[in-house]
Amino acid sequence: MREAGQRTVLAFDFGTKSIGVAVGQEITGTASPLAALKANDGIPDWEKVGQLFTDWAPDLAVVGLPLNMDGTEQEVTKRARKFANRLNGRFKVVVDTWDERLSTVDAKSMLFELGGFKKLTKEKVDSVSACVIFTSWAENQYQ
């Protein structure tokens, strides 16, 4: 495992129908969106998830936690934690969870600035949300 500050990170924006994915580099604090994973009631194709881990060899993963605006948990928060635990169990990688409040709003704003409404496809929003989750997480690692 690379040392903190130089790690490769897979970031996930958990959803029951789609899971956004991004790969981030701590050294630059930036992330690139990858293809979102289709999910069936929150369960992805684990072979495709495994391929991401093979392709990117991340040092850790970050899963966004969908909290209510007042910080309380909701049902999907528990499911996101379960997804994080499964990533840890299946791929033996450290998994951090991160407050994702407003990541979708930020992602939609970024995509709209880049290309208007035609850029706002569900898959793109989910994976850009994963980029926002990574960036927020990375910024808070070194404060």
Side-chain angles (χ1 to χ4, degrees), residues 64-118:
L65 279 185
L67 300 168
N68 291 315
M69 289 310 292
D70 65 2
T72 58
E73 293 196 2
Q74 50 189 313
E75 183 56 36
V76 73
T77 311
K78 294 177 185 120
R79 297 184 72 184
R81 283 189 198 282
K82 187 175 184 179
F83 174 73
N85 290 337
R86 285 191 172 148
L87 288 175
N88 172 263
R90 284 178 183 258
F91 305 108
K92 307 299 183 227
V93 65
V94 172
V95 180
D96 238 349
T97 55
W98 189 253
D99 179 355
E100 70 163 39
R101 283 177 283 180
L102 301 179
S103 65
T104 300
V105 173
D106 289 349
K108 285 181 180 177
S109 173
M110 289 167 56
L111 283 167
F112 186 77
E113 286 174 20
L114 291 172
F117 286 110
K118 66 181 180 276

Side-chain angles (χ1 to χ4, degrees), residues 3-58:
E3 63 185 72
Q6 299 189 14
R7 298 175 292 189
T8 298
V9 179
L10 279 177
F12 296 90
D13 178 29
F14 177 81
T16 57
K17 294 180 182 168
S18 176
I19 299 170
V21 186
V23 62
Q25 302 296 329
E26 278 186 315
I27 199 160
T28 61
T30 60
S32 300
L34 302 174
L37 300 165
K38 294 206 180 314
N40 183 0
D41 197 26
I43 300 168
D45 177 339
W46 286 108
E47 283 188 29
K48 288 185 179 177
V49 178
Q51 192 60 53
L52 289 169
F53 278 83
T54 299
D55 291 347
W56 295 101

Side-chain angles (χ1 to χ4, degrees), residues 116-129:
F117 286 110
K118 66 181 180 276
K119 292 284 186 187
L120 295 178
T121 65
K122 174 79 172 121
E123 180 176 288
K124 286 182 181 169
V125 169
D126 289 342
S127 288
V128 172
S129 291

